[in-house]
Amino acid sequence: MEDKKQRGAFRAVILAFVCAMIIKLFFIDLMITQGRSMLPTLKPGSLLVVNKAAYGFRIPGLGIYLFRWASPQPGDLLVFYTPLGERAVKRCYFVNDEGTFFVQGDNDLESFDSRSYGLVSPEHILGKVVAFK
């Protein structure tokens, strides 16, 4: 009887782990900010909740959307990869006709953003910040 309970508990732990990984890979992620480019909105060390499915369903690691149901809008806080391969958080300011996005940090003097590296492609966007503290 004890052996059956242990197997059941082990299965429950494995199932919980698999569910958590699916949620993290496809839907929700947590990040902690670094740097001062988004002051005063985000302070260094702010905890962000990122909706990875805000704009569509992507294959993790490939940057390919299987389905897209929305596009970033001006004012959205985006998490994306810069041309240097670093994750960044910036505000979307406008979308051009080709579907790329101009992003800029709220702290103009300390932000490395579209003014330096150009427009951001949708394939580089990891998600939208939906909450922060």
Side-chain angles (χ1 to χ4, degrees):
M1 186 69 161
E2 187 68 31
D3 190 40
K4 222 177 198 183
K5 283 183 181 179
Q6 287 178 340
R7 279 193 301 234
F10 180 73
R11 285 184 187 140
V13 168
I14 295 298
L15 181 61
F17 178 77
V18 169
C19 288
M21 292 307 300
I22 289 171
I23 290 169
K24 182 173 175 35
L25 279 173
F26 296 103
F27 301 106
I28 299 291
D29 203 356
L30 299 175
M31 287 180 56
I32 296 176
T33 60
Q34 298 176 352
R36 302 169 46 85
S37 70
M38 287 300 295
L39 284 172
T41 307
L42 301 174
K43 295 171 180 54
S46 294
L47 177 66
L48 308 179
V49 177
V50 180
N51 180 353
K52 294 173 102 174
Y55 306 117
F57 185 78
R58 338 170 12 144
I59 300 173
L62 296 180
I64 300 169
Y65 281 95
L66 292 177
F67 305 103
R68 291 193 62 192
W69 44 73
S71 290
Q73 299 300 305
D76 286 356
L77 290 178
L78 304 179
V79 177
F80 60 95
Y81 284 112
T82 69
L84 300 175
E86 299 170 342
R87 283 193 304 178
V89 179
K90 306 289 182 218
R91 189 174 305 280
C92 178
Y93 273 84
F94 67 80
V95 181
N96 73 4
D97 293 337
E98 289 87 40
T100 54
F101 310 95
F102 183 90
V103 295
Q104 188 172 336
D106 290 353
N107 184 354
D108 290 345
L109 299 176
E110 294 192 37
S111 182
F112 179 63
D113 51 38
S114 285
R115 295 171 296 171
S116 304
Y117 50 71
L119 301 173
V120 175
S121 159
E123 288 75 31
H124 292 114
I125 295 175
L126 298 173
K128 175 183 177 180
V129 176
V130 292
F132 57 88
K133 179 165 171 96

